[in-house]
Amino acid sequence: SGTPGDCVLAFRRLHVERALAEVQEQIDRLQERLEMTDDALLNLWERKKTLLRRREELNEGDQDLVH
């Protein structure tokens, strides 16, 4: 079992992973229905990029805890 900090980091990572999956599902659904507008696509891709950066930050924070 980990420290409280490890648990918080794991929870945050899980939250970001779920949000990424949700955004990707929205992109996939819109593409399947061919209802994606340029604005909708742009907004979803921006959200996805933000979440990917957040995931990377959390992973870097996890490395700091190990070392």
Side-chain angles (χ1 to χ4, degrees):
S1 59
T3 67
D6 292 340
C7 293
V8 169
L9 193 58
F11 178 77
R12 287 179 180 164
R13 192 177 301 114
L14 181 60
H15 176 75
V16 170
E17 291 297 331
R18 286 182 179 168
L20 275 168
E22 182 181 325
V23 168
Q24 188 60 54
E25 286 176 14
Q26 290 175 11
I27 291 170
D28 293 345
R29 262 195 316 272
L30 289 172
Q31 286 177 329
E32 287 172 5
R33 295 188 305 204
L34 300 174
E35 294 178 11
M36 186 165 315
T37 65
D38 289 341
D39 286 341
L41 179 59
L42 181 61
N43 290 335
L44 287 169
W45 277 109
E46 286 301 318
R47 175 78 175 132
K48 185 173 181 176
K49 288 191 299 187
T50 298
L51 290 165
L52 288 169
R53 282 193 301 271
R54 181 67 181 134
R55 181 175 66 181
E56 187 62 32
E57 290 168 1
L58 288 170
N59 288 337
E60 289 171 5
D62 193 28
Q63 293 300 317
D64 291 342
L65 291 175
V66 173
H67 299 297

